Amino acid sequence: MEDIEQIDKIELVYLKKEDHLEIVRLMENEYRHLDDSTWTQEEFYSLIEKFPEGQVGIKINDELAGFALSIIVDYNKFDDTHSYKEITGNYSFNTHDINGNMLYGVDIFINKKFRGLRLGRRLYEFRKELCEEKNLKGIIFGGRIPNYAKYANEISPKEYIQKVKSREIYDPVLNFQLSNDFYVKRVIKNYLEGDIESKEYACLLRWDNIYYTKATTKPMQEKLVIRLGLIQWQVRPYKNIDEVLEQAEYFVKSVSSYRSDFALFPEFFNAPLMAKYNHLSEADAIRKLAEYTPQFKDAFSALAISYNINIITGSMPELVDGILQNVGFLCKRDGTIERYAKIHVTPDEEKVWGLQGSNEIKTFDTDCGKIGILICYDSEFPELSRLLANDGMNILFVPFLTDTQNGYSRVRVCAQARAVENECYVAIAGCVGNLPKVTNMDIQYAQSAVFTPCDFAFPSNGIKAESTPNTEMILIADVDLELLKELHNIGSVNNLKDRRTDIYDVIRKN
């Protein structure tokens, strides 16, 4: 940066036709090696008239310090090997389409006098905000590689770009664009006629708008801020299933009255119904409990429709063809029902009850995006949640039942780890209280909670909300899916993006 007088004012302004002469003066000095080094009055006026909000400048002490020019194009009409003349309609800008899907960067320029003030970053940030405001897919443009001529006899453009990325070669244009979150899509040959510094090569650079939403004719958009209702269930004696369902409806009604999108019940919340079978062996008692499962499924589906809420039914035993599994149901408010089952049964569940693990791993599509459900012990196996994250899961629900505090701590700590490593929200809900008349289910410990990743947009400790330990209550918390999109792309760290899948991976076998 050259020595300049004290800066009194920096402002971002929309360019006007009267700025043309100053732009010509700046560009002629910078691009004197090009045959066509600047914009004619006709070309510049055309840009201003066609898309005034896309032409912006930075003024320092009322002197033009830089500018950025852009148009909107329907990129479906072009391919990735286009030339600069083609994309600009031979500089007429007749390719500008207000109904297009991409913001195309026509030009960006910083006055030598003011370089070093990071003014280019301000112009790129303006373009990104404009792209988001217009709901465009992203920004794309051909970026010059002005130092390539020095290496053209030794390496290809592809090798040159790789060396710039690895900091072996410095390129003032490409280094700057890469540092502003643009990525190289491909190399374009014969892009800008007369650009001898770049040997007429260019990098096709792109930035994706993570907030872009495709236009839809549906009456309702997919929700972005999701309200979770967690039910910390007190186990107590019940005479029959009707009393259990009465209590369940009370909680569904309560969380629904707060306009919750999901109600999460704990694992084996209906275990008190085994009290009447306590004279039987533990294995026979839980098989008696399994006889109630079809009735619970139908009742919860009716509640989901009636209270306009998606219900995750915790879990309950199910006996099918002699195989006993720990299962639950996602009862959606549109009336559909989907089943999930515990994959890893605990040693106690296998030994005492004869439970068997499921082989099915899946995510669930809901009106609030993709979710995953893992029952208690399953949350302690990171491979499962990673597979669900690979499928696009945003929220992981974990219904659990733990008898001791150390058992609870395993579930809690692992749930928090799943939120960080998979960049998702995790909601856990458990049972509290005692069941002295139910063998193998006599004591419970729980503190339900909602966990988040740990980054600036989230609580620093990764805890969105948590209940009072060992007390019957509901917990209501909102989670924002837009924050996850930001985290995936511009977080302090990128756990999902930075996985070294070149040396390891997690895969399904079934």
Side-chain angles (χ1 to χ4, degrees):
M1 181 177 66
E2 299 178 10
D3 292 335
I4 59 172
E5 59 192 55
Q6 180 180 348
I7 297 176
D8 297 319
K9 181 174 65 173
I10 299 180
E11 58 180 337
L12 197 68
V13 298
Y14 287 114
L15 294 173
K16 299 178 180 178
K17 290 181 178 180
E18 48 264 38
D19 293 312
H20 177 250
L21 288 178
E22 192 169 5
I23 286 174
V24 168
R25 178 179 59 82
L26 292 175
M27 294 185 71
E28 282 181 340
N29 181 54
E30 176 70 14
Y31 299 134
R32 53 186 177 272
H33 59 281
L34 295 176
D35 294 334
D36 188 8
S37 61
T38 189
W39 299 103
T40 67
Q41 184 182 81
E42 182 183 4
E43 291 164 350
F44 185 73
Y45 282 14
S46 177
L47 265 178
I48 298 294
E49 290 167 0
K50 291 179 186 296
F51 189 33
E53 57 196 308
Q55 324 313 323
V56 67
I58 291 180
K59 291 194 174 183
I60 297 180
N61 298 342
D62 296 322
E63 180 181 354
L64 189 64
F67 61 86
L69 312 178
S70 58
I71 57 176
I72 296 173
V73 298
D74 180 356
Y75 199 65
N76 297 320
K77 296 178 180 178
F78 301 92
D79 59 43
D80 288 342
T81 59
H82 63 263
S83 68
Y84 191 62
K85 275 189 176 181
E86 182 184 359
I87 201 75
T88 61
N90 199 21
Y91 312 127
S92 69
F93 306 111
N94 289 332
T95 51
H96 173 68
D97 183 353
I98 196 64
N99 296 313
N101 56 10
M102 295 291 288
L103 188 73
Y104 199 92
V106 171
D107 201 356
I108 193 163
F109 183 91
I110 302 297
N111 187 339
K112 277 185 176 179
K113 178 180 177 181
F114 298 104
R115 289 178 188 173
L117 296 176
R118 294 184 171 84
L119 301 181
R121 184 177 296 275
R122 295 193 187 205
L123 294 173
Y124 276 128
E125 288 302 317
F126 167 80
R127 279 183 176 170
K128 291 174 183 177
E129 290 173 9
L130 179 63
C131 185
E132 292 169 3
E133 179 187 325
K134 295 291 185 182
N135 191 36
L136 302 174
K137 283 186 175 180
I139 304 169
I140 200 163
F141 59 90
R144 300 174 62 242
I145 42 177
N147 277 354
Y148 179 61
K150 301 175 185 178
Y151 302 89
N153 294 329
E154 305 168 20
I155 56 177
S156 68
K158 181 179 178 181
E159 292 171 315
Y160 176 82
I161 291 167
Q162 191 55 48
K163 288 182 179 294
V164 172
K165 286 182 177 179
S166 61
R167 300 296 192 270
E168 295 177 56
I169 293 176
Y170 174 75
D171 186 287
V173 177
L174 184 55
N175 278 112
F176 178 71
Q177 289 157 345
L178 293 174
S179 69
N180 278 277
D181 303 321
F182 289 88
Y183 62 90
V184 178
K185 202 161 183 279
R186 65 162 298 143
V187 175
I188 308 177
K189 190 177 181 180
N190 301 321
Y191 179 71
L192 181 60
E193 188 176 342
D195 183 7
I196 57 175
E197 291 182 334
S198 306
K199 292 290 185 178
E200 295 191 359
Y201 285 103
C203 298
L204 184 64
L205 289 141
R206 178 163 174 163
W207 174 85
D208 294 318
N209 176 16
I210 62 174
Y211 303 111
Y212 170 74
T213 54
K214 189 176 181 179
T216 178
T217 56
K218 293 181 180 179
M220 289 188 67
Q221 297 278 357
E222 188 174 280
K223 297 190 67 171
L224 296 175
V225 177
I226 313 302
R227 181 159 294 176
L228 311 180
L230 279 54
I231 295 153
Q232 189 156 286
W233 178 279
Q234 170 89 40
V235 292
R236 54 171 64 87
Y238 292 102
K239 295 177 182 176
N240 51 51
I241 187 175
D242 291 334
E243 287 191 354
V244 179
L245 288 172
E246 182 181 11
Q247 184 70 8
E249 182 172 5
Y250 161 75
F251 281 122
V252 171
K253 180 179 179 181
S254 296
V255 297
S256 174
S257 67
Y258 288 101
R259 303 180 66 84
S260 296
D261 296 293
F262 288 96
L264 174 63
F265 282 80
E267 180 183 27
F268 285 135
F269 72 94
N270 63 352
L273 291 176
M274 282 198 290
K276 64 185 293 186
Y277 306 113
N278 212 31
H279 61 287
L280 303 175
S281 69
E282 291 96 330
D284 288 337
I286 199 166
R287 282 162 173 75
K288 284 291 185 181
L289 181 62
E291 294 175 4
Y292 294 105
T293 294
Q295 192 173 343
F296 273 108
K297 179 177 70 171
D298 293 341
F300 273 113
S301 182
L303 291 175
I305 297 169
S306 179
Y307 289 99
N308 189 30
I309 190 171
N310 300 301
I311 300 176
I312 297 166
T313 66
S315 81
M316 55 200 75
E318 183 182 56
L319 188 64
V320 178
D321 296 330
I323 297 174
L324 184 70
Q325 291 187 325
N326 185 353
V327 309
F329 303 95
L330 170 59
C331 299
K332 301 180 186 178
R333 47 185 158 202
D334 66 3
T336 57
I337 304 172
E338 294 193 71
R339 178 184 182 273
Y340 55 90
K342 197 168 188 175
I343 294 168
H344 299 88
V345 297
T346 65
D348 183 77
E349 288 172 329
E350 182 179 15
K351 179 181 178 181
V352 177
W353 289 332
L355 277 170
Q356 295 185 37
S358 167
N359 295 327
E360 188 174 21
I361 306 168
K362 61 181 292 189
T363 54
F364 301 92
D365 291 309
T366 74
D367 58 355
C368 301
K370 278 197 174 185
I371 68 166
I373 306 170
L374 296 177
I375 301 174
C376 196
Y377 193 35
D378 282 341
S379 67
E380 299 175 31
F381 296 84
E383 297 87 352
L384 295 182
S385 55
R386 176 50 49 82
L387 289 170
L388 298 178
N390 289 344
D391 282 346
M393 172 191 68
N394 290 316
I395 308 172
L396 175 63
F397 292 93
V398 181
F400 72 91
L401 183 147
T402 50
D403 53 355
T404 61
Q405 194 165 356
N406 58 319
Y408 165 74
S409 294
R410 288 194 295 270
V411 172
R412 179 189 177 100
V413 171
C414 289
Q416 287 195 269
R418 304 297 84 88
V420 171
E421 67 198 14
N422 295 305
E423 297 180 341
C424 67
Y425 297 107
V426 181
I428 67 172
C431 289
V432 299
N434 304 311
L435 282 174
K437 292 186 178 181
V438 178
T439 305
N440 205 44
M441 295 282 291
D442 43 357
I443 58 174
Q444 323 294 330
Y445 182 93
Q447 183 180 23
S448 303
V450 176
F451 303 120
T452 74
C454 296
D455 213 320
F456 295 115
F458 307 94
S460 58
N461 62 358
I463 303 172
K464 174 71 176 179
E466 56 187 348
S467 67
T468 303
N470 269 6
T471 302
E472 185 171 63
M473 62 179 292
I474 60 174
L475 182 66
I476 308 292
D478 286 348
V479 294
D480 189 342
L481 302 188
E482 287 288 279
L483 296 181
L484 294 182
K485 284 186 180 180
E486 291 182 8
L487 180 70
H488 297 336
N489 289 273
I490 55 174
S492 300
V493 293
N494 301 115
N495 293 82
L496 287 176
K497 276 187 176 181
D498 292 342
R499 287 172 293 160
R500 288 290 306 278
T501 53
D502 57 321
I503 58 174
Y504 64 84
D505 208 348
V506 179
I507 59 172
R508 299 172 190 259
K509 286 190 173 181
N510 57 337

